[in-house]
Amino acid sequence: MQPEQSADAAAEELLRSVRQTSRKGRLWIGSLVAVCSFGLFAYAIQLIHGLEVTAMREYVSWGLYIATFIFFIGISHAGTLISAILRVTHAEWRRPITRMAEAITVIALLVGAPMVIVDMGRPDRLLYVIRYGRLQSPILWDVLSIATYLTGSLLYLYVALIPDLARMRDQCTAIAGWRKRLYRILAIRWHDTPAQRAHLEKALGAMAVIIIPVAVSVHTVVSWVFGMTLRPGWHSTIFGPYFVVGAIFSGTAAIITAMAVFRRVYHLERYIALQQFRNLGSLLLTLSLLYMYFTLSEYLTSWYSAESIDVKLLKNLFDLHRYGFDFWVMAMLGLFIPTILLILPKTRTIIGITTASVLVNLGMWLKRYLIVVPTLQTPFLPVQGVPSSWIRYFPTWIEWSIVAGALAMFLLLFTLFSKLFPIVSIWETLEDTSDVPTT
Amino acid sequence: MTRREFLRAVGTFIVVAAALRWKTVVALAMKPRQAYPPLPSEVRRGIPGKKFVMVIDLAKCDGCRKCTQACQAMHFTPAPREWIKVYQMQDSPTAAPYWFPKPCFQCDNPPCTKVCPVDATFKRQDGIVLVDNERCIGCRFCMAACPYTARFFNWGNPSHTSEELATPYSPEYGFPRRMGTVEKCDFCPHLAREGKLPPCASVCPMGAIYFGDQNEDAVTNGQGETLRLSELLLDRAGYRYLEDLGTQPRVYYLPPKNRRYPAPPKVLEVSHAT
């Protein structure tokens, strides 16, 4: 914060987005609702006719839905993990971005986890997973791990929100009655007493430590859904750490993208500045190099030892007539170009770093697709006498619509969250003790 | 209407309804206890004392695909779904081509049942792996986990014949099928209960498919030839497909030595057989 600005004025500025919504904002929300509704319409068709309306068939029995599931669960790592790590290490510059990071986690989990239900042949039997659940199945590990992570992240988001909820209860008077009630109830009689502060800091400190291993476990068990099978390209010992690094990588990119958007739309230039972009940019660069390293280890070892089934997979993955083009688009746009943008001093600007982040997100989504689909097209037995639709795969409009709807739902929930609650943590930002100017 | 009148009306209705539908009432009363489907607990346990096993003699298989057709007819399987599929194999460009009928291997270390989150697919004491389509949630993890492409999915609403619908469902034969659930070859335990061979084995004109019980150490083919399992595997160097994967299949193959039919044409795509 700039010294000439008083704390009250800053709080007022940060509350502005909560108090009013512009016409453009309403238009944005309206269009998101439209895309979501179309996604729901497509899902209704799928519910009536079954998964037949997708392009998935006997060989490619998982596709866009599962890739999107991994993508969203990956994005969810951003938040809580990074906010927790930065809190534990007392990085002062984290203060204006922790809230949006934590919100990304909760919203990505809320949107990502149902992608598995969308993929289910019998969503009506969803509760069988609890009724007949078998702990031997990696799906149960996913259910337990993701449920724990969602609960933990929700609590973590909420606890850090309490002082701001109390502020809104006290200062926002010209709002709808239901919102007043909401803030009053959620603020659970917070009056900012020293004792309450001490409790809050203690709770947040403890939760920040606990949430880190939970977050690591989530993407580890997601990877094990693949790693525990006998299929080429999945049956890999590095899949756990490979997925965790990929998740933090795409998650960090998601935070940077969200920072850039909110900074511009809500005029937060005073709070979110080059420093935050540079610091997260360095983290993104590290993770990008790590992800390249993992990708190289993964494919180089199977290419060099050249087991016949692995060679078959690599041919499918790297042949330019099959997935080679997609793979190199992923590698160039999702890894090499972002890395260069993040290294060169000239492009280490807010625009450069944000561009790198958007590319990383697109690239990581494509990478998840390339993890799921080509392996399924590489069976041990030869593919003979089956319709080509069984082995080829390109998502149908139903699949694209549902995934677009999920993405719109993510943006919608994020927008609504920022309309209901301050997207920059007011109390944490005001508490900033660092002398380093952030602008 | 008083209580008495009401009761009388209800009574009259029942009597009249019963009179009109007397055939149904009599049929219900006379119905013998059905042997099929067996109770759900019996289905999950398996046939006591048995260990079913299949031996496929590749020297006899000439790729006529009668096994596939008989299987499809018995299980009402819609084409092009094939619970037992005949592949045209060639392990390397210099190796001999051969026909390779492939049912579900009913593995003793099944990668599919391991990953099922709800115990919808399960391994029984008699060695058979079945799918319960009343339990299956359609996550298709078992399909992704099976290295042999043995499993199929009802992507849409399956079409039924009236004959299929007249049969009460049992995982032992897998129909009537249901939308959004997985299915696969089941070794026909409902026929084994009657001491019959599965249709794939019984119709094979070459007698290439042997089915039997490992505990009895005997397998029989469709031509009534019964052999000692252990001797057959020893004499003919029986092997299991992709033994390296550690899945412990219950289907053995006899190598295509001294074929009794002309060799199939060479295959373009080289298979990944061991």
Side-chain angles (χ1 to χ4, degrees):
Chain A
M1 267 183 342
Q2 282 171 351
E4 68 264 24
Q5 197 195 18
S6 75
D8 281 344
E12 202 44 44
E13 194 173 2
L14 291 174
L15 277 176
R16 206 188 314 145
S17 57
V18 179
R19 286 183 196 274
Q20 58 208 9
T21 305
S22 65
R23 234 186 105 220
K24 257 192 207 159
R26 281 195 209 113
L27 209 67
W28 166 248
I29 292 173
S31 39
L32 288 178
V33 170
V35 179
C36 282
S37 314
F38 194 74
L40 275 176
F41 166 69
Y43 185 53
I45 293 180
Q46 182 181 302
L47 278 181
I48 295 165
H49 298 286
L51 290 167
E52 200 174 38
V53 298
T54 70
M56 292 187 280
R57 287 298 179 268
E58 320 307 312
Y59 284 100
V60 187
S61 52
W62 283 341
L64 191 65
Y65 297 149
I66 295 295
T68 308
F69 162 73
I70 312 173
F71 173 76
F72 273 120
I73 303 297
I75 293 286
S76 81
H77 272 58
T80 302
L81 188 65
I82 284 169
S83 141
I85 291 172
L86 296 180
R87 217 188 282 268
V88 169
T89 54
H90 301 290
E92 289 298 320
W93 57 271
R94 72 164 199 275
R95 292 175 180 277
I97 59 168
T98 47
R99 173 77 38 83
M100 59 182 80
E102 289 152 19
I104 288 184
T105 297
V106 171
I107 295 165
L109 287 175
L110 285 177
V111 176
M115 288 313 295
V116 184
I117 303 171
V118 169
D119 189 70
M120 276 172 70
R122 299 299 303 221
D124 54 314
R125 296 177 181 171
L126 177 64
L127 290 180
Y128 282 15
V129 177
I130 294 159
R131 197 164 147 200
Y132 302 110
R134 287 169 78 247
L135 273 180
Q136 298 96 311
S137 169
I139 287 189
L140 260 284
W141 311 344
D142 271 22
V143 169
L144 291 175
S145 186
I146 292 175
T148 310
Y149 190 42
L150 177 60
T151 315
S153 322
L154 253 178
L155 267 175
Y156 188 63
L157 172 70
Y158 171 61
V159 170
L161 197 62
I162 294 173
D164 286 354
L165 285 164
R167 181 183 287 274
M168 286 191 290
R169 175 196 61 197
D170 300 336
Q171 291 179 5
C172 296
T173 42
I175 51 170
W178 66 271
R179 282 180 67 181
K180 279 187 198 162
R181 267 198 302 283
L182 179 78
Y183 296 145
R184 195 182 64 236
I185 295 166
L186 288 180
I188 50 169
R189 295 194 199 157
W190 176 268
H191 290 294
D192 213 9
T193 63
Q196 285 180 328
R197 273 276 165 141
H199 281 306
L200 181 80
E201 294 286 357
K202 209 170 166 186
L204 281 177
M207 288 172 84
V209 174
I210 295 167
I211 209 86
I212 294 172
V214 175
V216 171
S217 85
V218 168
H219 233 70
T220 305
V221 296
V222 166
S223 86
W224 283 350
V225 164
F226 306 96
M228 294 290 169
T229 67
L230 291 165
R231 306 295 296 263
W234 288 358
H235 186 49
S236 158
T237 51
I238 67 165
F239 247 37
Y242 191 19
F243 268 51
V244 171
V245 166
I248 307 173
F249 181 42
S250 61
T252 307
I255 300 188
I256 297 176
T257 313
M259 266 165 42
V261 172
F262 281 122
R263 179 177 188 270
R264 206 187 156 98
V265 175
Y266 291 159
H267 307 291
L268 301 172
E269 290 85 354
R270 200 192 293 276
Y271 306 93
I272 301 170
L274 189 59
Q275 189 198 10
Q276 275 85 12
F277 283 91
R278 282 257 165 99
N279 289 353
L280 282 181
S282 304
L283 183 62
L284 193 65
L285 174 62
T286 315
L287 290 162
S288 176
L289 295 172
L290 254 176
Y291 200 74
M292 279 186 200
Y293 165 70
F294 268 108
T295 308
L296 185 75
S297 318
E298 175 71 6
Y299 296 118
L300 189 67
T301 48
S302 51
W303 171 77
Y304 189 93
S305 53
E307 203 183 318
S308 53
I309 191 72
D310 286 337
V311 169
K312 205 171 160 192
L313 173 72
L314 292 180
K315 265 189 195 150
N316 192 15
L317 198 56
F318 288 96
D319 185 339
L320 286 179
H321 298 293
R322 296 189 196 163
Y323 288 100
F325 184 72
D326 305 70
F327 184 88
W328 288 111
V329 164
M330 183 282 294
M332 289 320 257
L333 287 182
L335 289 169
F336 293 124
I337 295 176
T339 304
I340 291 166
L341 285 174
L342 293 167
I343 286 178
L344 293 180
K346 232 183 174 176
T347 49
R348 292 192 66 210
T349 56
I350 292 181
I351 292 177
I353 295 169
T354 308
T355 311
S357 300
V358 173
L359 289 177
V360 165
N361 271 327
L362 292 174
M364 285 308 286
W365 179 83
L366 190 54
K367 180 70 173 85
R368 268 63 182 258
Y369 187 89
L370 293 176
I371 287 173
V372 174
V373 177
T375 286
L376 290 168
Q377 290 171 326
T378 315
F380 285 91
L381 280 149
V383 177
Q384 290 173 357
V386 294
S388 65
S389 63
W390 280 23
I391 188 80
R392 290 218 189 112
Y393 177 74
F394 191 79
T396 60
W397 71 269
I398 297 266
E399 289 170 273
W400 288 117
S401 307
I402 292 178
V403 165
L407 187 66
M409 181 62 92
F410 174 80
L411 297 174
L412 179 66
L413 290 178
F414 212 172
T415 309
L416 293 181
F417 178 85
S418 76
K419 286 283 140 203
L420 270 181
F421 309 105
I423 198 66
V424 170
S425 176
I426 300 175
W427 70 275
E428 283 187 279
T429 307
L430 295 182
E431 221 181 33
D432 190 350
T433 50
S434 66
D435 297 319
V436 190
T438 51
T439 39
Chain B
M1 189 187 272
T2 64
R3 194 164 146 267
R4 185 183 295 267
E5 276 170 349
F6 174 74
L7 286 176
R8 192 181 294 147
V10 170
T12 316
F13 176 77
I14 291 172
V15 170
V16 170
L20 288 173
R21 287 247 155 246
W22 66 274
K23 270 187 183 163
T24 321
V25 174
V26 171
L28 274 176
M30 303 291 286
K31 199 176 171 190
R33 188 197 173 270
Q34 260 198 328
Y36 294 106
L39 295 171
S41 59
E42 290 173 285
V43 167
R44 291 210 163 239
R45 206 181 312 122
I47 305 171
K50 298 283 183 186
K51 270 278 184 230
F52 293 109
V53 65
M54 190 179 271
V55 179
I56 298 175
D57 188 348
L58 300 179
K60 286 184 186 162
C61 175
D62 63 354
C64 73
R65 298 192 160 91
K66 291 240 164 55
C67 53
T68 309
Q69 289 154 16
C71 171
Q72 283 173 327
M74 205 281 277
H75 291 103
F76 306 101
T77 323
R81 200 177 295 170
E82 297 172 334
W83 284 10
I84 179 165
K85 185 178 176 71
V86 182
Y87 288 88
Q88 210 181 322
M89 299 278 265
Q90 190 176 344
D91 298 351
S92 80
T94 46
Y98 58 95
W99 300 105
F100 184 78
K102 188 227 57 180
C104 166
F105 289 157
Q106 318 288 343
C107 305
D108 278 345
N109 184 18
C112 50
T113 64
K114 251 190 224 172
V115 300
C116 179
V118 294
D119 208 13
T121 184
F122 49 91
K123 178 80 178 171
R124 317 200 302 179
Q125 286 174 9
D126 58 7
I128 294 178
V129 174
L130 290 184
V131 185
D132 181 353
N133 81 13
E134 290 175 328
R135 176 76 66 87
C136 176
I137 61 168
C139 70
R140 310 190 295 294
F141 199 174
C142 55
M143 295 175 75
C146 174
Y148 311 112
T149 327
R151 290 174 168 261
F152 304 90
F153 193 67
N154 289 290
W155 299 95
N157 220 333
S159 52
H160 300 281
T161 63
S162 53
E163 195 190 348
E164 183 188 351
L165 283 177
T167 320
Y169 172 74
S170 169
E172 292 209 341
Y173 38 82
F175 58 82
R177 21 180 75 71
R178 279 184 182 81
M179 179 165 91
T181 59
V182 171
E183 63 178 58
K184 68 167 193 71
C185 156
D186 51 22
F187 262 23
C188 295
H190 62 299
L191 295 180
R193 282 182 194 276
E194 297 173 19
K196 289 184 191 158
L197 290 177
C200 54
S202 60
V203 303
C204 177
M206 305 291 282
I209 301 178
Y210 296 82
F211 184 79
D213 178 5
Q214 195 172 10
N215 289 342
E216 286 175 10
D217 198 21
V219 285
T220 308
N221 68 2
Q223 291 159 354
E225 182 192 6
T226 300
L227 298 170
R228 278 232 171 279
L229 172 69
S230 51
E231 282 170 20
L232 182 65
L233 295 178
L234 210 61
D235 294 347
R236 297 286 310 279
Y239 72 95
R240 298 188 291 193
Y241 181 66
L242 293 181
E243 182 76 70
D244 295 0
L245 292 181
T247 53
Q248 312 281 356
R250 297 203 64 76
V251 175
Y252 291 84
Y253 287 96
L254 306 179
K257 200 192 161 207
N258 303 331
R259 280 194 205 86
R260 306 199 182 166
Y261 59 91
K266 293 219 165 194
V267 201
L268 289 177
E269 191 192 358
V270 169
S271 51
H272 283 277
T274 41

